[in-house]
Amino acid sequence: MQLNTLSMVHDFLTRTVKPGSVCVDATAGKGRDTALLCRLTGKAGRVLAFDIQEEAIRQTRALLEAEGLSAEVVLDSHANLEQYAEPGTVDCVVFNFGRLPGGDPAVFTRAETSVAALEASLRVLKPGGAVAIALYYGGANGYTERDAVLHWLETLDDRKFSVLRCDWANRRNDPPVPIFIWKE
């Protein structure tokens, strides 16, 4: 196994998400995380997937159909996820902050909506639920979102949430940051 941010997040999801779980892929992209969540939750589970780009929605739906999987795929901002899930009902939320690989390089997640989406994700989480984040930064989207998310994490009440942030000490060129949040 190649150890990188995505493999860490997927390993975490595999260990965390159980059949029958309710999960949210807050940034569907190409649909890979959505498909993984569908396989892990099984037919008894529920998976919601969000993206603001029609191309991402199309790719996610195509991947799910090709694999015989089903999810609620929504063309909407991750900041609006509370309109689709009630407080305290979600087992796991996944974020890939940054941009859609191969997509329009001018379209990427932004600090204001990403922090709002993270706050919403904590409200919809069940006690014992988790959030997994792959925080891509640098390049066209710069460092504003990264800095805002990392600062926001530091403000979380340690009596209600545990946060693990991993940094790659010897990787060049702005390696993505894997982050995990558990709700007590």
Side-chain angles (χ1 to χ4, degrees):
M1 171 178 93
Q2 180 184 358
L3 189 58
N4 59 36
T5 297
L6 194 56
S7 68
M8 288 179 71
V9 167
H10 283 191
D11 184 61
F12 175 82
L13 294 174
T14 300
R15 294 171 189 269
T16 303
V17 177
K18 305 296 180 217
S21 292
V22 176
C23 297
V24 174
D25 182 354
T27 49
K30 293 182 177 255
R32 293 185 186 119
D33 290 342
T34 305
L36 175 61
L37 293 172
C38 288
R39 288 190 297 274
L40 294 171
T41 62
K43 294 186 187 285
R46 178 182 181 213
V47 176
L48 290 154
F50 296 88
D51 211 292
I52 60 167
Q53 297 181 78
E54 289 185 18
E55 178 60 18
I57 295 298
R58 188 195 64 71
Q59 288 183 32
T60 298
R61 287 183 175 149
L63 178 62
L64 295 175
E65 184 178 334
E67 293 193 21
L69 300 169
S70 178
E72 298 166 54
V73 183
V74 181
L75 180 63
D76 199 354
S77 171
H78 53 331
N80 297 326
L81 68 92
E82 285 178 289
Q83 294 175 17
Y84 304 88
E86 296 292 323
T89 62
V90 174
D91 296 288
C92 186
V93 182
V94 182
F95 291 91
N96 280 301
F97 292 125
R99 66 179 190 86
L100 176 64
D104 183 347
V107 179
F108 46 84
T109 55
R110 301 189 184 274
E112 54 278 1
T113 56
S114 295
V115 170
L118 284 165
E119 290 171 345
S121 73
L122 297 184
R123 290 189 292 270
V124 299
L125 271 187
K126 293 178 178 177
V131 176
I133 303 166
L135 178 57
Y136 294 86
Y137 61 94
N141 50 320
Y143 304 94
T144 303
E145 180 182 44
R146 178 202 64 185
D147 295 347
V149 167
L150 295 179
H151 173 73
W152 175 81
L153 291 168
E154 293 172 359
T155 69
L156 294 179
D157 184 342
D158 65 353
R159 294 165 295 178
K160 296 179 182 176
F161 303 98
S162 294
V163 179
L164 175 64
R165 182 184 91 197
C166 308
D167 293 308
W168 300 102
N170 66 339
R171 302 256 171 108
R172 293 183 213 119
N173 301 323
D174 302 322
V177 180
I179 302 164
F180 306 97
I181 305 170
W182 293 269
K183 185 173 184 176
E184 302 300 327

